[in-house]
Amino acid sequence: MITGALLAPCNVYSGLKIGWTFNMSVAAGLLGFAFWSSASHLFGTRHWALHENNINQTAASASASIISAGLAAPIPALALLTGQTLAFEVLAVWLLVISLLGVVVAAGLRHQLLEREKLPFPSGVVTAETMTEIHSSGAESSARLRLLGLAAAASAALKALVTAFGLGPMAPPLRWTLGLAGNKTLAVSSLNLGFALDPSLLMVGFGAIAGLRIGLSMLIGALAGWAVLAPLALSQGWVSPGPATGLWFGPLVEWLLWPGATLMATSALAGFLMSLVGVVRRRADATRRAQRESSERADATAPRGFDKRLLWLAFVVVLILGVIAQVTIFSIGPFEAMIAVILSYVLAIVAARVSGETAITPIGALGKITQLTFGAISPGQITTNLMTANVTGGAAGQCADLMHDLRTGQIIGATPSFQMIAQIFGILTGSFVAAATYLLLIPSPQTQLLTPQWPAPAVATWKAVAEVLAGGLAAMPPGALVAIAIAAACGIVLAVLEARIPEQYARFVPSGSAIGLGFVIPAWNSLSLLAGAVVAFVLTRAYPDLAPKRVVVVAAGLIVGESLTGVGSALWGFFW
């Protein structure tokens, strides 16, 4: 729980910075191993076993994944659109209730997805292999821990220096002139558009994990958004420029978020639907194969799931809690609240199945499905639209996280019921720590979010969808409708291409979601992410046997180091 309390702020920080979060299972396992190995050497405590570490990483990763319960998207979007902010205790209870929905669904799915259908859940496999390796090889675990510590220290030190001296992005002295209506001109610099070098290692770490395809896609998004569309919007008078010597992120992103959010949403939805088609086909094939085998013998030898009566009781209890939370906190109607919980059960099952095959949990896409659904059920109701989708996304995120941890436990022979208990304690920790971290970092959402310091791209996407569903086309700025149409077509085409062409060619198709993300964050973030992806690619090619085991650990250190320092800086400012 303490490890989870240290890791949860990292995902809150990075979620508000870039809209992405990091699976903390491996990092939690390494930290737990380091602590108890040190305790054994120094104080003679007994050996820290693999199964104990599995419980540790299950609880800690559950705490870190609490960000999926809305802190990086619907909750801030609600604050921007309605001004409603939640007190600490209310926010913590909301996060806890929403996450418990996903735990109950995962408990019901374990036997079906892991024992009967034997879905791979790739992240769980990677965690199991890593945990087994570090527990069987002292040298390997020591090497990884040193890299994790050094990377975290370097990233933290740089962040501390940047904060102490007030350093910012450094741009080359490039300037050019744009033609405006009425024979007027506008001087534009590279800093105005965000093309600069950012003194930060956070995005470098994310780039190393995301890979070269995502890094190049982010570059495409930065160039298309900030080097092409932003000057176009300025020249057409759709956007007013900011101060001549400053960054124009604020006014420009208010326009760019429309094509950017559309590209992310359509790409995610289309990719999700294509993945779902593939999942259905593979499930049908598996069913036909199972029918040709002796199902009785298989069922007799397969481990059973959790007690069905207990599961049904848990379903009813969390349904009641979910409805009460929506009604009392957000004044959502009981009927709509019940539909939201039931829909979250269904979509969490879909999310677990897709994540089990692809390692990607489509939280954003499922949230958009719920937003569209309640756009029809409760038109014009922004709070209902956002927070019912929050229920879906939070349940899906926690369900997928637990399923990957249960897969890890299955491989190493852990006890599922112990993992369930650990998951609940991790959620409890994460709810309170993440709520406190969010309120500490973002005390004033209206002035802090959608700024260069806190771009919050996921917030921009959810906000844009809610605005359109509530206000129609009138909510869009001038020129945005054509950009949205083009972005939607591009997102769908890219997702279909990625799903339909052979796998050896699909990896060359740019990611529509990453391109859209490049529209709504400062260009320097995309450049940093690309740098991390290129370095990781070069190292992996140069040292294929060694680099894959080391790159993720170094990247995790860079992310954790800056995130914790950023949170610590906010704490320092709060108390002193």
Side-chain angles (χ1 to χ4, degrees), residues 164-506:
F165 293 100
L167 302 178
M170 296 165 283
L174 299 177
R175 301 184 67 86
W176 60 96
T177 301
L178 285 179
L180 304 179
N183 294 324
K184 296 181 180 179
T185 60
L186 175 67
V188 181
S189 70
S190 55
L191 179 61
N192 295 149
L193 301 180
F195 287 97
L197 177 64
D198 185 26
S200 164
L201 293 176
L202 178 77
M203 295 305 300
V204 175
F206 271 110
I209 294 170
L212 191 60
R213 173 176 174 258
I214 298 299
L216 291 172
S217 299
M218 294 283 290
L219 177 64
I220 294 172
L223 293 175
W226 296 98
V228 177
L229 290 181
L232 176 64
L234 290 167
S235 65
Q236 295 296 318
W238 300 333
V239 178
S240 299
T245 58
L247 177 67
W248 298 346
F249 180 84
L252 286 171
V253 80
E254 289 292 332
W255 191 90
L256 286 174
L257 71 84
W258 292 96
T262 301
L263 192 51
M264 286 190 284
T266 56
S267 179
L269 283 171
F272 165 69
L273 292 175
M274 298 302 293
S275 298
L276 193 58
V277 170
V279 168
V280 171
R281 287 176 178 172
R282 286 188 288 272
R283 186 181 183 190
D285 293 340
T287 302
R288 285 192 292 269
R289 286 195 301 270
Q291 289 173 347
R292 292 194 295 265
E293 298 172 355
S294 176
S295 59
E296 292 182 2
R297 184 172 65 253
D299 286 345
T301 58
R304 308 309 299 173
F306 297 99
D307 183 85
K308 289 185 178 180
R309 289 173 298 180
L310 183 60
L311 281 176
W312 278 111
L313 177 61
F315 274 122
V316 173
V317 169
V318 296
L319 185 146
I320 294 172
L321 290 176
V323 170
I324 292 174
Q326 292 176 78
V327 172
T328 56
I329 298 174
F330 301 108
S331 300
I332 297 173
F335 174 71
E336 289 87 349
M338 182 171 294
I339 292 177
V341 175
I342 294 172
L343 187 60
S344 74
Y345 286 156
V346 175
L347 294 182
I349 294 172
V350 174
R353 189 174 295 280
V354 172
S355 184
E357 294 200 5
T358 67
I360 298 172
T361 306
I363 296 175
L366 296 177
K368 302 303 170 291
I369 290 175
T370 309
Q371 283 190 276
L372 293 172
T373 300
F374 280 89
I377 295 175
S378 302
Q381 300 296 317
I382 288 179
T383 300
T384 300
N385 186 275
L386 284 171
M387 303 321 293
T388 53
N390 186 172
V391 174
T392 300
Q398 252 335 305
C399 177
D401 175 78
L402 179 54
M403 287 305 302
H404 283 279
D405 287 335
L406 290 172
R407 174 60 172 147
T408 300
Q410 181 189 43
I411 293 173
I412 66 174
T415 304
S417 58
F418 291 173
Q419 290 185 275
M420 297 293 300
I421 295 170
Q423 187 84 6
I424 292 172
F425 275 99
I427 288 172
L428 181 64
T429 304
S431 297
F432 286 93
V433 172
T437 303
Y438 171 77
L439 294 174
L440 177 69
L441 294 176
I442 312 293
S444 176
Q446 298 280 0
T447 59
Q448 289 181 270
L449 295 175
L450 304 186
T451 64
Q453 183 182 5
W454 300 106
V459 176
T461 304
W462 285 63
K463 173 177 176 286
V465 173
E467 283 179 318
V468 170
L469 293 175
L473 300 182
M476 301 178 188
L481 188 58
V482 174
I484 285 173
I486 297 173
C490 291
I492 294 171
V493 169
L494 289 173
V496 172
L497 278 176
E498 183 181 351
R500 301 299 297 174
I501 65 177
E503 187 174 349
Q504 63 267 32
Y505 303 116

Side-chain angles (χ1 to χ4, degrees), residues 30 47 134-135 299 311 332 371 409 538:
L30 286 170
H47 176 65
I134 65 173
H135 277 270
D299 286 345
L311 281 176
I332 297 173
Q371 283 190 276
V538 171

Side-chain angles (χ1 to χ4, degrees), residues 1-50:
M1 291 172 71
I2 292 174
T3 304
L6 290 173
L7 296 177
C10 300
N11 271 345
V12 176
Y13 184 91
S14 63
L16 293 169
K17 279 282 188 182
I18 186 65
W20 289 352
T21 56
F22 184 61
N23 187 318
M24 294 293 184
S25 292
V26 172
L30 286 170
L31 291 173
F33 184 86
F35 179 85
W36 289 107
S37 295
S38 300
S40 178
H41 289 304
L42 295 174
F43 307 112
T45 60
R46 64 175 175 79
H47 176 65
W48 173 244
L50 176 61

